Each structure stands twice: as structure tokens, then as C-alpha cells.
């Protein structure tokens, strides 16, 4: 379950005030009224952007209708409507800039935005034949490579995915104001490797960052989130995405689980290709939610240390809110830790998405904190429970400034948890882990 974009961010921002304003029975009724239009908005937005093409940027009547229904639920209960509007105004301010390092030279500018090339591999089936434009839906295919281009506006706010603000009656994406997937061009495996090599030739450090998305994510959303992470982390190497064929719907959790399992050999082939054919020195990987099944199983069955001489190495491997069986994750750790320079696990005790997953599977998930938190030698476990939560508490790795700052210290500077801001050492029967604590 992924983000609901700026709508979810605005609702989550005022949620504590909403809970204080309403009695428990009123809050329960309000939630029952609010969740259906929120879900409709989510499904409509993803359906409109479920493939990469120029047409995907057109707003749909379904998105508009669902968004207005959400606003109506708030307006019917003053002062909640005014609070929501004020939160939108707050979110539209506080501009950020890429920095402190300059963006890579192969990120061109256009209409007050940076054009971030996201090199991708996917086992989604293409909706059209030919090299350009490539369009990927929800069907399964064979391994394919290409390059997507994502516009990130120069007033982008850290932790936000900037999209058209329907509450301001502006529905068409603007590259100068919104994060937009402009195009996706298919490539052969050789052309892809040459493209990554060409980018790395322009980088001070020959490093790459791979993002593996989670459940309920379209190709377009995955490419945008990969670009957003790279921008917010001030990453100046090659940016890559592995996109497996998620159905992009809240109701397709079982189907997505099978698709993630099927993607494992394709992901292994992609990672092997990246490490051996591009001249990369080090590859960092961030996987979110169900994408951790692809990453965990992929690294368990692939020994990257046994690749030919001159191959790249695994650097930082980040497991963010992994929707992976806790026992399976523990069993896989020795193989993974033997390959990576470093491994980090982000967990939360307020992750409602993983709580639902646990109830379906009968066993704890690796991304859950509390009594079942996973602590192991060679693994840095970071508990983000005390940072609070959005409506699902599941998307903190790309949305919470503290977590992004923590990732920045890890990926950009290699700082251990003891040297990163806001983390407190916690004791555990299996060793120690780290936790964000409330600031006094």
C-alpha cells in the first residue's frame, strides 16, 4: 500500500486535530464516510497513471469526482473543511532546493524543473510495441530495460510527491510545479548498460541507487518515487528502478504477492547485468514494503561476491517497512549480510498496512516493531514508531523528513547510527537497535 499523494498528506497532517475535535462515536462515523471516497480517489488516480505515456497526464473525471467527494466530507463538519484548506496552503509553501551537492550534469533543466533520468528494468508487459514511447500496465511480461524521465520542480518539498492540486482547481500537470513522468523509452540490454555507463562516466563516484517499489504501485508512480528519493537524498549517481507487475489496486494484494515472487529471477538478472556490464563501483538498493520480497529472495539466491573480476559491489541495502515474513527474513540475513557493505532495516509499531498483512499471514512481518522486532549482528535496525504516522503509517521512508535525513546520513556520508541525528541506542536480547525518540 503506497501513498495517496498530496491528498493523503493533507488529511494526515490535520488528523490529530480531527481526532481531538470529534467524540469517539463521531470520529468512527467520520472515518466510515471518509474512507470510501479516499479509496476511490486512490484507485482513480492510479488508473489514470497506470502506464507511461503522454495521455497518462490527462486528468480523469473519476479523479476529480472522488477528490471533490473527499473535500465535501470535511466541509460538512466545520471547522474541518477550513483546517484541510489551511493544510493545503501550508503544503504548497516551504520550497526546497536540490543540494548541497550540485545535480549530476545529465539532469537537464526544463521549465523550472530538473529532468531526472530513471534507468529502469521491469517484468511488466509493454502495452505497445517498439522503442518509444514505452507503456507499462499491470500484466506480466519478460525482463525489459529502458529509461524514464521524471520532472521534479525547483520548488519541490522534501518528502512530497508534487502533483496537480485539485483543491486549487488546477488539474493538468505542470512540469514547473508537479512531479511528472514525461516519457519512458525501451532499450535493449546492451543499450541500457551503455546508458548507465555513460551517466557514471560523468559522476565523481561511480555509484548507483536502485529503488524497488511495493504493493499497489503503477509503473508511473514507481518511476516518480524513484526520482523523488534520489532528489531528496541529494544522490548524485545513476538512479535506477526495478518495477515488477503490481496490479496497482488495493484489492489485489494476493495477486501482487505472486507477482513479486515471480519477479525474483528477473530482478537477479537485472542486478547481475548492472553489476557486471555498466562499470559501476557500488550499487545501493532501497526496497519498500512488498518490494522487499523481491530484494530478499533475490539476494538469497544470488551471490554477488562471485561475479567476474571488475564487477561492482553491493553497498548499502535498505529494507524499508518490509512486508516479508519475519522468520524468512531472519533466515535470509546471513546470505545478504555476506554480500552487502551494510544493511539497514526500518521498522514501525504504527504500520497499519503491515498489521493487516500480519493478520492475513498469521505471522509477524519484518517491518514491524515491538516484541517481534528483528535485531541481528551486522544489521542496523531503526525503529521509527515515535515519529508518528500517516493514515497507514507505511510510507515513512519516502515521506518523513527525519527518515529521509537519516537515509541521507547513511547513503551520502556513510555515517553509522551512533553519528546520525535523533537516534537512541536501545538494548535487546539479541544485541542492540536504534530508535527515534520524541524531542524534548
Amino acid at each position: 500500500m503506497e501513498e495517496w499523494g498530496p491528498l493523503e498528506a493533507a488529511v494526515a497532517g490535520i488528523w490529530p486535530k480531527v481526532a481531538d475535535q470529534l467524540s469517539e462515536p463521531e470520529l468512527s462515523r467520520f472515518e466510515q464516510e471518509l474512507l470510501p471516497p479516499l479509496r476511490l480517489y486512490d484507485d482513480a488516480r492510479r488508473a489514470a497513471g497506470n502506464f507511461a505515456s503522454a495521455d497518462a497526464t490527462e486528468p480523469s473525471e473519476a479523479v476529480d469526482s472522488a477528490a471533490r467527494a473527499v473535500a465535501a466530507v470535511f466541509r460538512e463538519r466545520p471547522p474541518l473543511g477550513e483546517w484541510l484548506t489551511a493544510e493545503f496552503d501550508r503544503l504548497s509553501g516551504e520550497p526546497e532546493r536540490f543540494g548541497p551537492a550540485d545535480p549530476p550534469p545529465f539532469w537537464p533543466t526544463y521549465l523550472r524543473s530538473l529532468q531526472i533520468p530513471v534507468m529502469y528494468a521491469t517484468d511488466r508487459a509493454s502495452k505497445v510495441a517498439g522503442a518509444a514511447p514505452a507503456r507499462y500496465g499491470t500484466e506480466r511480461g519478460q525482463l525489459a530495460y529502458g529509461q524514464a524521465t521524471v520532472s521534479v520542480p525547483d520548488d519541490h518539498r522534501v518528502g512530497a510527491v508534487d502533483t496537480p492540486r485539485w483543491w486549487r482547481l488546477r488539474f493538468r500537470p505542470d512540469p514547473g510545479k508537479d512531479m511528472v513522468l514525461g516519457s519512458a523509452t525501451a532499450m535493449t540490454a546492451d543499450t541500457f548498460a551503455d546508458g548507465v555507463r555513460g551517466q557514471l562516466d560523468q559522476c565523481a563516484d561511480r555509484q548507483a541507487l536502485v529503488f524497488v517499489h511495493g504493493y499497489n504501485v503503477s509503473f508511473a508512480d514507481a518511476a516518480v518515487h524513484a526520482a523523488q528519493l534520489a532528489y531528496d537524498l541529494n544522490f548524485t549517481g545513476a538512479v535506477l528502478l526495478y518495477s515488477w507487475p503490481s496490479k496497482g489496486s488495493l484489492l489485489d494484494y494476493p495477486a501482487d504477492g505472486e507477482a513479486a515472487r515471480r519477479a525474483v529471477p528477473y530482478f537477479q538478472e537485472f542486478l547481475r547485468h548492472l553489476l557486471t556490464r555498466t562499470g559501476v563501483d557500488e550499487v545501493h538498493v532501497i526496497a519498500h514494503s512488498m518490494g522487499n520480497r523481491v530484494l530478499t529472495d533475490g539476494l538469497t539466491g544470488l551471490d554477488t561476491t562471485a561475479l567476474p573480476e571488475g564487477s561492482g559491489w553491493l553497498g548499502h541495502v535498505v529494507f524499508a517497512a518490509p512486508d516479508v515474513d519475519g522468520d524468512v527474513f531472519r533466515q535470509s540475513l546471513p546470505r545478504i549480510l555476506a554480500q552487502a557493505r551494510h544493511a539497514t532495516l526500518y521498522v514501525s509499531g504504527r504500520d497499519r498496512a503491515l498489521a493487516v498483512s500480519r493478520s492475513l499471514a498469521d505471522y509477524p512481518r519484518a517491518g514491524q516493531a515491538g516484541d517481534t522486532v528483528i535485531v541481528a549482528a551486522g544489521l542496523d535496525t531503526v525503529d521509527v514508531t515515535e515519529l508518528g504516522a500517516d493514515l497507514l503509517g507505511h510510507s515513512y521512508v519516502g515521506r518523513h523528513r527525519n527518515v529521509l535525513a537519516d537515509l541521507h546520513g547513511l547513503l551520502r556520508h556513510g555515517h553509522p547510527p551512533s553519528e546520525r541525528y535523533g537516534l537512541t541506542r536501545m538494548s535487546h536480547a539479541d544485541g542492540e537497535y536504534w530508535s527515534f525518540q520524541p524531542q524534548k
Side-chain angles (χ1 to χ4, degrees), residues 1 215 253-254 256-258 260-261 288-294 296-297 319-331 333 345-375 379 381-383 385 392-394 396:
M1 299 181 197
Y215 152 61
Y253 184 84
D256 273 15
E258 293 302 313
R261 178 182 299 176
H288 180 243
S289 187
M290 194 179 281
N292 283 277
R293 300 186 191 182
V294 180
T296 300
D297 291 350
F319 305 98
D323 185 2
V324 178
D325 183 282
D327 289 338
V328 171
F329 187 82
R330 287 186 180 90
Q331 293 166 1
L333 269 179
L345 168 65
Y346 285 97
V347 301
S348 173
R350 299 185 182 181
D351 193 323
R352 294 174 61 186
L354 292 188
V356 173
S357 178
R358 174 176 180 167
S359 68
L360 294 173
D362 290 334
Y363 290 97
R365 318 314 288 166
Q368 292 185 292
D371 295 341
T372 62
V373 66
I374 295 176
V375 177
L379 174 71
T381 299
V382 179
D383 184 351
T385 303
L392 291 175
H394 191 53
Y396 51 81

Side-chain angles (χ1 to χ4, degrees), residues 377-437:
L379 174 71
D380 284 338
T381 299
V382 179
D383 184 351
V384 306
T385 303
E386 295 299 329
L387 292 180
D390 53 23
L391 292 185
L392 291 175
H394 191 53
S395 304
Y396 51 81
V397 73
R399 296 294 174 265
H400 203 291
R401 286 173 175 264
N402 294 57
V403 180
L404 285 166
D406 193 63
L407 274 173
H408 182 273
L410 172 69
L411 294 176
R412 292 290 289 147
H413 303 293
H415 291 161
S418 59
E419 297 178 12
R420 303 203 301 263
Y421 178 76
L423 294 180
T424 299
R425 193 188 309 266
M426 309 293 288
S427 60
H428 188 273
D430 296 328
E432 63 181 26
Y433 66 103
W434 300 87
S435 176
F436 281 99
Q437 296 297 305

Side-chain angles (χ1 to χ4, degrees), residues 170-248:
R170 183 173 63 81
F171 302 107
R172 294 179 179 275
D174 179 347
K177 299 177 181 178
D178 309 314
M179 294 188 70
V180 179
L181 174 59
S183 65
T185 303
M187 297 176 169
T188 66
D190 288 342
T191 304
F192 169 86
D194 291 342
V196 175
R197 182 184 293 273
Q199 292 181 3
L200 294 171
D201 287 343
Q202 302 177 63
C203 299
D205 300 310
R206 303 183 68 85
Q207 297 190 1
L209 176 65
V210 176
F211 174 62
V212 186
H213 65 78
Y215 152 61
N216 187 20
V217 180
S218 68
F219 177 85
D221 283 349
V224 167
H225 289 312
Q228 178 246 322
L229 273 173
Y231 189 104
D232 288 350
L233 296 176
N234 192 218
F235 189 78
T236 56
V239 182
L240 297 102
L241 164 71
Y242 188 86
S243 182
W244 48 278
S246 165
K247 291 291 186 181

